[in-house]
Each structure stands twice: as C-alpha cells, then as structure tokens.
Amino acid sequence: MMRWIHAAGAALLVLACSATRADEGMWTFHGFPLERANTTLKTKLDQAWLDRVRRATVRLSNCTGSFVSGEGLVLTNHHCVVSCLAELSSKEKSLVDDGFLARDRASEKKCQTQVADVLTEMEDVTAKVNAATAGKSDQAANEARKAELTKLESACEAQSKFKCQAVTLYQGGQYWLYKYKRYTDVRIAFAPEGSIAAFGGDPDNFQFPRWCLDMSVLRVYENGKPAKTPDFLKINFAGPADGDPVLVSGHPGTTNRLLTVAELKWQRNMNLPNWLLRYSELRGRYIQFSEESPDNARIVSDQIQTVENQIKVRRKQLDALLEDQLFERKLAEEKSLRAYVAANDELRATIGDPWTEIEKVQAEYAGNWLPVLFIEQAGGFQGRLATYARALVRGAAERGKPNDQRFREFTDAALPRIEQQLGASVPVYPELEKLRLAFGLERMREWLGPDHPVVRQLLSKESPTELADRLVSGTKLADPAVRMALWKGGEAAIAASDDPMIVMARDIEPTARKLRKEFEDNVEAPIDLASEKIARARFAALGTSVYPDATFTLRLNWGKVGGWVENGKPVHPFTRLQGLFDRATGAEPFKVPDSWVAVRDQLDKDTLFNLVTNNDIVGGNSGSPLISAKGEVVGLLFDGNIHSISGSYWFDTEKNRAVAVHPAIMREALTKVYKADALLKEMSAK
Amino acid sequence: MMRWIHAAGAALLVLACSATRADEGMWTFHGFPLERANTTLKTKLDQAWLDRVRRATVRLSNCTGSFVSGEGLVLTNHHCVVSCLAELSSKEKSLVDDGFLARDRASEKKCQTQVADVLTEMEDVTAKVNAATAGKSDQAANEARKAELTKLESACEAQSKFKCQAVTLYQGGQYWLYKYKRYTDVRIAFAPEGSIAAFGGDPDNFQFPRWCLDMSVLRVYENGKPAKTPDFLKINFAGPADGDPVLVSGHPGTTNRLLTVAELKWQRNMNLPNWLLRYSELRGRYIQFSEESPDNARIVSDQIQTVENQIKVRRKQLDALLEDQLFERKLAEEKSLRAYVAANDELRATIGDPWTEIEKVQAEYAGNWLPVLFIEQAGGFQGRLATYARALVRGAAERGKPNDQRFREFTDAALPRIEQQLGASVPVYPELEKLRLAFGLERMREWLGPDHPVVRQLLSKESPTELADRLVSGTKLADPAVRMALWKGGEAAIAASDDPMIVMARDIEPTARKLRKEFEDNVEAPIDLASEKIARARFAALGTSVYPDATFTLRLNWGKVGGWVENGKPVHPFTRLQGLFDRATGAEPFKVPDSWVAVRDQLDKDTLFNLVTNNDIVGGNSGSPLISAKGEVVGLLFDGNIHSISGSYWFDTEKNRAVAVHPAIMREALTKVYKADALLKEMSAK
C-alpha cells in the first residue's frame, strides 16, 4: 500500500521541491494543461469538469477519498482507515480483523482523529511573500517567510469559515493560499475484513497481479447530521476497458524528482540506510511482540502493516539510488542546467553556483544531522505518550508567543487539529509504549554514542528499558482529560507538572530547540535559498510547462489503463475473482475470509478485481478515485507496482504503474458477501 | 568485538582473494619479509623467533589464542568462549553473566564444540594442483581442483597424525597444504563476568577509549591430561610503551582488498543491504524475545551480542563502499592494471579481459543470487535444528560417494569435526529455534516472493510461524543420540526417517543441490578463472613483494603502539582503571560487576587497561597475542577501532587501529578481584 510516508523529519529534511517536464505529471488544479490533456487523451475535459472533480475530492489526514453520494459518503481505502478501526477495537472485538458495516446511519462510528478537507478556493500569494523577504539575508528571509505565511493563514481564517493553508510550490517559485472546507466529524460506515482488504499482505504489497478489496466507506457529518455533498462522483460499476483514458485526482505526498546530486547522495548514504536499519529492527520487535499473545497481535497489527509498507518503499528507493544509471542521468541533467546558467551572463550574475552551495551545506550537515534526527525530530522519543508530552510542553511555550513568531506547526490555524488529537479518547497500550520508547532511546544511544550530553543526561543511571518502563508506568498522559487539563493550563501547568513524561520532555526541550535553530539557520535557510535559485534557472531554461514536486496538496494527472512488460513477459492489466481463490493458502496473509468462503458458490468468478494504469502516483494518492473522461469513478487507487516506488526520483514510463480496485468487485462484494444493500443503493445513485 | 564473520554464504560468495602491497600486511609465515620487518622496526627477528611464535599460536574454531604456559594454557578473548559459557549455563547459573574460575584443574570444564589447532608444517602444492587442472575448461578445472585438494588432504592425513588443510592463497596463485596439530579436548579455566569483559556493550563496540577485560583462559588436554606445550609465550605484565614495535600473530578471517569494481558494487548494492535489513530485524526479534523473561534473556544473549557485532561491521563496510573516494581509488587501480596488461602483448594474449568477464557474470548472477542465498546457503532455514537436519541429510548422501567426488565440506578430512558437532550435548531452546526458523522462512518468502516453487512447496498450507512451530515441536534432533543414530544409519536411515525436520531438509535437497551446481558452474568457475588471471597480471606488474588476502590462516604482521587523530583531536593510546569507574552508570552495559565494586578501594586505579596499536587486523584475529620483539606477550587483541572495519577493503594507515587488553589489568584483576593465584602463577612462569 502506498501509504504516505511522513516519518519524523521528512518535513524538515525534504527541502528541495522542484519541477520537471514530461507527459507524466502531478498537476495543480490551477495549472492543469487542459489542452494538452485533451489532445493526448482525445477527450473534451473543461473547466466545469475540473471544478466538479476538485469539489468531489477529499483530503483525509493521511490519504485521499471522493464523495460518492450526495449525503456525505466518502469512498477510500481500507488501509486509510485501519488506525481508526484499531482505535474502535477492543480485546473482545477487532474491527480490523472482522470488518465493520453500519446497518443504519445511527450505527456509523466516529473516527476520532480523522478530518476531511475539500479544496474550495486557491489564491496566489507569491507577490506578498516575496515582498516580505525582499532584501533579507537567508536566515532573516527564512524567518520572515514563515511569519508571512502564518499571517496570511490567520487573516484568511479570520475572514472566512475556511481552513486556510499556505502552500509552497516550485521550491518557492510560487506561494498559494489553499482554502478548504473542513469536516471534523468523520464516521466509518463500512470496512471489509483486513484479510481481504490486504490479501497477500506484505509479500504482495507493491506487486501485481493482486486481489485486494482495499476499500472502505466513510461519511462526513455536519452538526450531527450527514453533510450535503452535491458535488459527488457517480460510480460506473462496469469500469474501464484496456487502453481507456483515466484521470487520478488526489494528494500525492512527497516526490524528490529534482533534488541535486549532492542531496540525492545524502539520501543514499545517510538518510535511507539509517532509517532502514532502525525500522527493520523495530519490525522485528513488533513481530516478536505480536507473537506473545493474540491480544498483542491485535494491538500491534496496524504498526506492523505501516512499518512493513514503509520498509518496502525505502528499500526500493535505496535500490533506485544505488543504480549507476540514475546518478548518471541526474548528473547529466545537472550539468546541462549548470551549462545553461554559465552561458547566460545575467542569470549567472544573479544565481551564482547554488549547486556547490548545497553540496557544501550537505557536507557540513553530514556530521550534525543525527542529533537533529534523534532529539529535535524525536527519533529517540517514540510512541504516543512521548509525542503527547512534546506537543504539550512545546505547545505551552509556543502559545505564549505572538502568532507569527511561533513554530509553524503551532500557529492559531494549526491549534484545532492539535486539540482534536490531544483530546481524542484513543487507546494507549503501555507494553507497546514501553517497547517503542525503549527502542527509540536505545537507538539514540547507539547513533549519538554514550557520550552525547543528552544521552548522558537521560541514561547515566538507567538503561533505556528501565527509563522507558518508569516513564510509561508513571505518566498519566494516556488519559485525555489529563492531557486537556495540561493543554489548557499552559506554561504554568507544564512548569508545575511532575508527570515523568512531561518532566523528560521539559528537560530535553532546550537542547531540542537549540538544534532546531541551528538546523534552520545553517541548513534549511541556505538550502532553501540555493534551491530557489536552481528553480529560477530551471524556469528560465525550461519555461513554465512544468509541474511542481508533490506536497500532499491536490493534483490531477492523466494516463490510461494498461499493463507492462516484466522480464520479457507481458503483465495483463486486470485480475478476476477466480484468481483470489487460486492464490489462497488458508494461512495469513493469503487467507480468504470466512464470509467469502461461505458464499463462494454464489460469486461470479469472472468479476473483475484489480487493475493497473500508467498514472503518475505516489503515497498520499491512496484512496484516489480513478476517473473516466465522463467524470465517473471507474476505480479506487490503492497501490503502485514495485517500479512505482522509484517515482520518488523519476517517472519510468515503461514500467511505473498504479494499482486500483475495480468497481465490479466492490458491487459483487457489497451485494453477495456483505449484503450491504442500503449502502450500495446510496453509492449507486446518480 | 571483531568476531570473525562467517555468515551463510560468505565462503561461497567471497570469490576473489587477491594480493596487495603496502607496509601494512597479513604475511604468511612462509612468506614473511624478515629483513623488511627488521629494517622498519629496528629489530633482530630471526627464523627461530618466527618458528617459536608460530608454534605458540593457536587457531580456535572462531578465533586465535596463544599458549602462555608449558601445560596447555591458552590465553584468548572472553568473546571467543562466550558460546562455550552459554552451553555450560543453566536456568540456575549463567556462566556468561557470572564468569567462571576453575579453582583446580579437575574443575576445568570442557567446551564441547571447540578445537585448537597449531600450525606445524606447511607444504607448497601449487605444482600438483596446476597439473590436475591444466588444459581443462573452467567448469571442469573447478571440479578437478577440488578433487585434487581433497586427495592431497586425505593422503596427508593417512601418512601423518596431522589435521591437514589445503589453503588457497593469492586467488589461486599458490596452493599450500597446512598441517596442524589438533587438540579436540579444550576446557575452560577462567572467564570474568560478561559485564566487565564487554563493558560498554554494543554502544562501545569498535570504539576507543575502552575498558574491557575481554580475556579468558582455556587449557588443551591430551589423553585426559593437560597437554605439554613447551613453545609458549611469556607474558610481560609491564606491557609496551607508546611507540614500541609490536607484532600480531593470528588468523585474520576475510579481507576483500582486491575485489574488482564490479564485485565491490555487488557487495554495496545487493549483498550488504540485504544482509543488514534481515539481521536488523532479527536483532529486534531477539531483543524483544529477551524482554519476555530473564530466562529468555540468558538464552539469547550470545546471539544478540553476535548479531549486533556483525551489524556494526557490515554497516561500516557499507559506509566504506558508499564513499565516492573508495570507488575512485579502486577504479584508478583497476584502470592502471588494465593499462599494464594492454601494453604487454604476451600478457594480453593469455589474460584477455577478466574484468569484463567478472562484470558480465555478476550482472547475470544479480538476478539469481537470492534463491542460492535462501535455499542452498540456508538463509531460509535458520537455527540449530535446521542446520543439523541439513548436515544429516546431505552428509548421508555425500558419504556414499568416493572421497574426492564429495562436496569439500564432507570429505574424510572434514568428517571428525562434523561428528564432534553433531554429537555434542549442547542445549537447544525450542522457543528460540521457532523464532529463528520462522524468521528465515518469512524472509525467504519476502525476498523470493510467494510464487517461488520452494515457497509454494513449503508455505502453501501453513504460515512461516505455523510451519516452524510444527517442525520444532515435532523433531527429535535436539537429542544428540538421535542425531548420531541418523548419522550412523546413513542414507537408509535418512530415507526411512519421519522426523519432520529431516523430511523438510530432504524435500528441499534436490532444489538446493541444483542451485549449488548452477552457481558453481556459472558463477564460481568463471569468476575463479578470471580472478586467477587478474592475480597473474598483478604478480607480473607488482612482483612478489605482496601478501595474500586474509583466509583464516596463520599470519604475522607488524606495527607499533600509538593513538590517532579523530576530528582534529589526538586519541591517547592507553586507558587506565580509573576511567572504568568514571564511565560506569550502574546499568548494563555500563555496569561494573559486584566483584570489582567490592574490592574497589584495594585496586590501583592507575593500572593500564586497554591500548591501541596500528597493526593490520580483522575479525579472526580476536584473541591474538600482541608480541614484543623479545617474543613476549604484551597485550591481548580483542577489537579494532571504528576505522578498522573498512580494513575489509583497504588499510587506512592514518586511522585504522587495533585494540588490546593490557597485561597489567589482567594481573590486577586475577590477583585482587578473582584471587586466581594458581592460574596467575602458572601464567607468570618463564
């Protein structure tokens, strides 16, 4: 599953969002090349089509979805709601394993930490941001830019009902204010059993052929009632034919297609190996934890799925970066752009040599990134409880400042979401918390060394396990009421607290802030400036017919249904239900649920199940609708093939494929397996 | 600790042993450049000195040791005997944690799977081997060479009491028959507590300054009595001064200093990342397993120490291979040698282009190595029980063949050691066996994919965990009597067995053999031939003043006591006892044992503890004596600094350092902490 990866630090470390040009592309709705699309696809898409699709596309906290009824039904993936299902489960009943169907609307259950955003307006604020930073040094410009973005968001929210978010595109080439209608009451209406949603599990993840009913249905509410959503997409249960044009509307998370060679080498040599070593070990700890009891298995299943997915993504990213050809291509591109700048007197004078500047900053940073990773980005302080403690300690201090001087994640615009998460009544499992915190502390000691001051500060008397046990056993932060009291109590309450988790977060806060400040001034600011210069050079050389790197904001791209050639053999673009039963072994993760086995004879084995297209997608697109030229849903995106992972760095037209659930299997399953007649009827409306 | 890494497949996959020239060097005793050493060190070493040092050096199954008394005492590292200590431990008493001191000789306990070899004679058999392979194709030469080596070993053992081993040096440039006096009765006399032997644990491993009493004392027996070992080394408890010349005699395991660029890229892109991902996960499983109970912690502590050590080694090897400079150096060396060949008509005609040949073979192999790794090299079948089953199934078939047609690991010369291991009464822990086997099976499915025939064969009805549980619960192979009965019963007994572990090993045996045959014919044979040609080119270009890559055979090298400069700061070459107490935290792995705390006031805090030298060592050298020009032991090698790990690929004169236990702390500890007066007296004899 191409879950969006938002590992600690991704937001800080992925500094260079840039632009590229090709027939692939993650186009914004305000920059979509309608004519080019219509020429390529032989379609007649128009602005009204774009507007309707945009208003029918939903951004979840981690995924995409689409409205499929006028009363708020959202179609998305099962893997996008699995943490909600886990939160709603108990020792007696696992909604992840057993699935969930609300027989009526009153039975729909709230996902406490979910939100649903619909992009309603987009305003270009580039001129305002540039005015705020003009003439400033890189450090000062960095701070002024953040302050301006905060001000723009606050002003927007003050004068509208929208959730306003400043968006950086083209590596600072453009700034936009995106205005969302936000739904904070999101409930689960349907999810199948985990074993059919993720049939094949980790072994089949990012593979094709596939047989996954990776679907779920949510409903958004307003004022306690199903929201009115007139702009919804009709589902065409017949689906598309091989070769049909299809569009994907959604929120690709992150791409790094135009990082410099120096930045890519840092990813290859430092960031990816470090991450993979740590999370492979965590995978092992989780698996062994799950073996200890059925209850443990339930508690940790969501984490295992997440970490295994991330490992597969990062492993294939590393593979891509270890290919000589990729670096040869990137070097050639960089050389050509540098030559363009060198040949242009005016450009050369204003831009200088930002590539060497980035290389220099990266080389200096190479010696200093581990403390940032483990302390400021909390790689050493894992688990829900430590995360709560950081949010409370830091939030108290930040809220004491004027809005535009705060860290961007604690501005007024950001606070409601933080409060939703702090106040949510979600289960906290002490044994799992101990595991995660001990793991983080132990690896912090490994990578920073036993002589690092923070390691000495925390671990000079206790081992990582002892410290984690004491903090988790002693803290009261598992209780949402305690968290909200501390949140409301602000700086005074934090200063007075003797909760051991708060005490630890408080103790390391000065070091964490110092590391962040150094990072922002010495790494982020100069790299941002240099990257902006490179973006300028690229605009000059290649014009504006380019799309920005993915940033988990709304994008649209086109492609068509079709397989590819693997090791000389063609891969057919569709699978059918019979293949599911052929592949089943009876043991997880290849076990067909009892509900399907029970009605096996009644099922039409020719029903189309999954399909592939050549759309350009990455994690964050999960749950995106596959849309026909008529504007109908003809598939539900849930994965890419194995070659799609290198899409972080470039788009391989030959082999990169998106994987979707076919609408026919949704109807077959809802009708015959789940007997969800009311739901299916609502999803079949026009 | 620089344990010798002998991961599955290392022997098969490390194909190119080559030679290099520099002032560093792992010299054989028959090729030691006495004059050069004496000139460099300003010493007067002679052949008698060499002979005595050779006869006083001991090869253990995994390490090095040296005789330090005339009655068979062997000084080596604690980490070389930790598996013996674990085998001798019980639920009630952990010799790993608590240490062990035999108050008299009758109390010395046998290490059941240990042997001790002393290199007694060396015979050059190059001409005989070359005669056997002359005029044959690469596949036929590969088989003829193995058959000839087997014949030479058998003939040697038939006409002497020696353990005879054929040794390939200089990548087939030379073949030798090494003749060892073998002791199979090896007993433990002394080991300190694990917490002082490995003080600092994994965090401090490969670091310096250090405070590890990583020592142990074994005794070899003959006919039930302490063996007479007149050629022993006197310990000089005063140790060496900064700058003193020191020599290291021992058995470096493996170096890859002259692999081709294509071979190094294979290591960097495939072998090391795959290994690190899998064993980082295993580390996590082990750690979580050890958290489950104190008994589990004891059972798995040896495995955790081993796997963490190996992870550190491989991680730093990968770091070394990710440095652009290393590849630039290797490319330049290769280019220069290729130019030398190109400029020499005769050489060019006989050698051709072996570099391109290796690149071609590696590229083809890249698609096929995973089945070899998981099935033939047993990456999918981990644990003692699965290893026993493979040895029994394969051993039965091989012993039915003429000696010179068997796999080399089942020749007559190899059988006694296999029988020792099969017959040893060592503990087998079912829960740990299940963990290891399930892990191997699960990762085999991950990397080969659910559709690989062997995966389908084994896992079409059961999950990896279910299969592992059934096999481990059902097998009787934990009982040495059952193993020996199957061994003695030969092919008939194996065919008749319904032991589930035997059944599985039997079922996969045809596929495993087929994979091995393909590997030997299509990868090993052509790469061996090409590597031999490269070695010939190197001899032609550089003459014979070179040393062969490490092969876990006896080597001698010189260096001197001295620190290095780290981040601009000098690292002093000695540590003292006071530093141990300063660094202690009271929690593992920085806990000083109670026995030391109890006598703390009586200890001389100025006692020298550990030291560093610039000798060229790698894993396998563990336990090597540090020898003065006078032929006295002045230290006990147990580790390298972090830079020593890149010694796999090149020797960094500036920073590569060996780490040793100082004799002064051995005497202080044996006297005041352990009150081992009799032992110390014997070790102080002349």
Side-chain angles (χ1 to χ4, degrees), chain B residues 155-194:
Chain B
C156 170
E157 296 203 355
Q159 67 199 203
S160 73
K161 285 181 176 169
F162 294 131
K163 189 76 229 157
C164 300
Q165 189 190 16
V167 172
T168 303
L169 297 176
Y170 297 108
Q171 186 53 27
Q174 292 183 354
Y175 295 93
W176 288 76
L177 206 50
Y178 275 23
K179 305 176 189 179
Y180 297 94
K181 175 163 181 57
R182 167 161 291 184
Y183 300 92
T184 56
D185 186 351
V186 181
R187 305 187 193 177
I188 180 85
F190 169 72
E193 301 91 335

Side-chain angles (χ1 to χ4, degrees), chain A residues 202-204 265 268-269 273 276-277 280-281 283-285 287-289 291-292 308 311 315 318-319 322 324 435 442-443 445-447 450-451 456 459-463 465-466 582-590, chain B residues 202-204 265 268-269 273 276-277 280-281 283-285 287-289 291-292 308 311 315 318-319 322 324 435 442-443 445-447 450-451 456 459-463 465-466 582-590:
Chain A
D202 183 63
D204 271 3
K265 281 198 178 158
R268 182 193 72 180
N269 296 358
L276 281 165
L277 284 167
S280 293
E281 182 195 332
R283 176 192 201 181
R285 293 195 188 213
I287 289 173
Q288 188 59 27
F289 179 80
E291 296 283 339
E292 289 169 26
E308 290 191 334
I311 285 170
R315 176 159 81 75
L318 182 60
D319 280 354
L322 283 167
D324 288 340
L435 184 164
E442 205 166 319
R443 289 309 140 248
R445 183 175 68 185
E446 175 177 5
W447 289 84
D451 300 316
R456 295 293 285 180
L459 297 171
S460 64
K461 292 278 185 293
E462 291 166 303
S463 73
T465 303
E466 288 164 354
D582 293 345
R583 193 171 183 72
T585 66
E588 293 289 0
F590 296 98
Chain B
D202 183 63
D204 271 4
K265 282 199 176 156
R268 182 193 73 180
N269 296 358
L276 281 165
L277 283 167
S280 293
E281 181 195 333
R283 176 192 201 182
R285 292 195 188 213
I287 289 174
Q288 187 59 27
F289 180 79
E291 296 283 339
E292 289 169 27
E308 290 191 333
I311 285 169
R315 176 159 82 75
L318 182 60
D319 280 354
L322 284 168
D324 289 340
L435 184 164
E442 206 167 318
R443 288 310 139 247
R445 183 174 68 186
E446 175 176 5
W447 288 83
D451 300 315
R456 295 293 284 181
L459 298 172
S460 64
K461 293 277 185 293
E462 292 167 301
S463 73
T465 304
E466 288 165 353
D582 293 344
R583 192 169 183 73
T585 66
E588 293 289 2
F590 296 97

Side-chain angles (χ1 to χ4, degrees), chain B residues 189-342:
Chain B
F190 169 72
E193 301 91 335
S195 55
I196 189 67
F199 182 80
D202 183 63
D204 271 4
N205 192 16
F206 286 106
Q207 303 294 329
F208 192 84
R210 280 285 270 295
W211 296 267
C212 292
L213 187 73
D214 192 354
M215 73 175 289
S216 68
V217 183
L218 299 167
R219 189 190 303 276
V220 296
Y221 279 71
E222 273 190 310
N223 305 317
K225 289 182 183 160
K228 296 290 167 207
T229 50
D231 289 304
F232 68 92
L233 302 177
K234 179 178 175 295
I235 302 178
N236 178 340
F237 288 102
D242 193 358
D244 271 4
V246 279
L247 294 101
V248 169
S249 173
H251 305 87
T254 305
T255 54
N256 292 315
R257 294 187 183 171
L258 286 155
L259 291 192
T260 67
V261 167
E263 289 171 303
L264 288 172
K265 282 199 176 156
W266 185 80
Q267 294 278 344
R268 182 193 73 180
N269 296 358
M270 320 279 282
N271 190 36
L272 288 170
N274 169 286
W275 192 96
L276 281 165
L277 283 167
R278 289 187 297 127
Y279 284 82
S280 293
E281 181 195 333
L282 186 58
R283 176 192 201 182
R285 292 195 188 213
Y286 282 162
I287 289 174
Q288 187 59 27
F289 180 79
S290 80
E291 296 283 339
E292 289 169 27
S293 72
D295 204 34
N296 278 7
R298 175 183 64 79
I299 286 170
V300 81
S301 78
D302 179 25
Q303 274 89 350
I304 290 180
Q305 206 179 332
T306 300
V307 84
E308 290 191 333
N309 184 65
Q310 292 186 350
I311 285 169
K312 199 171 264 197
V313 170
R314 308 264 179 154
R315 176 159 82 75
K316 298 308 290 184
Q317 286 177 337
L318 182 60
D319 280 354
L321 291 180
L322 284 168
E323 273 180 25
D324 289 340
Q325 295 91 316
L326 184 133
F327 270 96
E328 282 160 18
R329 176 199 311 254
K330 295 286 178 185
L331 265 172
E333 285 172 6
E334 197 162 296
K335 203 172 159 187
S336 136
L337 193 54
R338 292 173 87 150
Y340 179 88
V341 172

Side-chain angles (χ1 to χ4, degrees), chain A residues 483-501:
Chain A
R483 296 195 296 267
M484 289 316 292
L486 280 163
W487 179 256
K488 286 178 188 140
E491 287 191 89
I494 293 297
S497 173
D498 60 357
D499 186 288
M501 198 68 80

Side-chain angles (χ1 to χ4, degrees), chain A residues 532-588:
Chain A
E532 192 192 305
K533 287 177 181 171
I534 293 172
R536 218 182 306 157
R538 198 171 285 122
F539 277 128
L542 303 172
T544 52
S545 63
V546 294
Y547 62 91
D549 253 319
T551 55
F552 201 49
T553 52
L554 190 62
R555 305 297 174 90
L556 183 66
N557 78 81
W558 67 79
K560 58 179 196 230
V561 176
W564 76 100
V565 176
E566 187 75 44
N567 292 328
K569 289 180 193 155
V571 179
H572 187 71
F574 294 100
T575 61
R576 289 174 188 273
L577 177 51
Q578 180 60 46
L580 171 77
F581 291 108
D582 293 345
R583 193 171 183 72
T585 66
E588 293 289 0

